[in-house]
Amino acid sequence: MIELRQESFGNYSLITPTSLPTDNASELLLEVEKILFKKHQHIVISLKHVESLFSVQLSSIIQVYKILQEFNLRLILCDLSYGIVNVLEMTQMSN
């Protein structure tokens, strides 16, 4: 189960997971959907507790991005480790 902290700031919800599960990638998406159901807000995900991303975790972030696009909302990733930045650059997802 994913453990996270969620805060709202104006039109943004900040999500800070303590980790991203590799066994159930849909948990992050479910949490974002709960937020969207309550509030129509942009999502900021702080990855300060996550050192690296595996393909399953990257897939869950992509799913979140796609669902937010459907609602014309933005996804912002922050507090990225060097390893995560490297993965995003290698997959051409750094913008």
Side-chain angles (χ1 to χ4, degrees):
M1 178 160 186
I2 191 170
E3 294 181 31
L4 55 83
R5 184 172 151 200
Q6 191 264 325
E7 302 172 75
S8 290
F9 301 97
N11 291 333
Y12 291 86
S13 281
L14 172 65
I15 299 173
T16 307
T18 56
S19 66
L20 290 177
T22 55
D23 58 338
N24 189 354
S26 63
E27 287 186 54
L28 181 63
L29 181 60
L30 292 174
E31 292 298 325
V32 168
E33 286 175 342
K34 287 179 192 176
I35 292 168
L36 292 177
F37 184 72
K38 293 177 186 176
K39 303 175 183 179
H40 190 78
Q41 293 184 318
H42 303 286
I43 301 293
V44 179
I45 300 176
S46 170
L47 296 175
K48 66 182 175 183
H49 301 295
V50 180
E51 289 297 316
S52 61
L53 287 178
F54 296 100
S55 60
V56 170
Q57 297 157 320
L58 188 58
S59 172
S60 68
I61 291 172
I62 292 168
Q63 289 175 335
V64 167
Y65 175 74
K66 287 180 179 180
I67 195 83
L68 289 172
Q69 276 189 320
E70 291 177 19
F71 288 95
N72 203 27
L73 295 170
R74 296 180 63 194
L75 171 64
I76 300 168
L77 302 178
C78 65
D79 301 322
L80 306 175
S81 70
Y82 176 76
I84 292 174
V85 170
N86 194 26
V87 167
L88 294 174
E89 286 175 349
M90 287 188 321
T91 58
Q92 299 179 354
M93 297 175 62
S94 59
N95 291 335

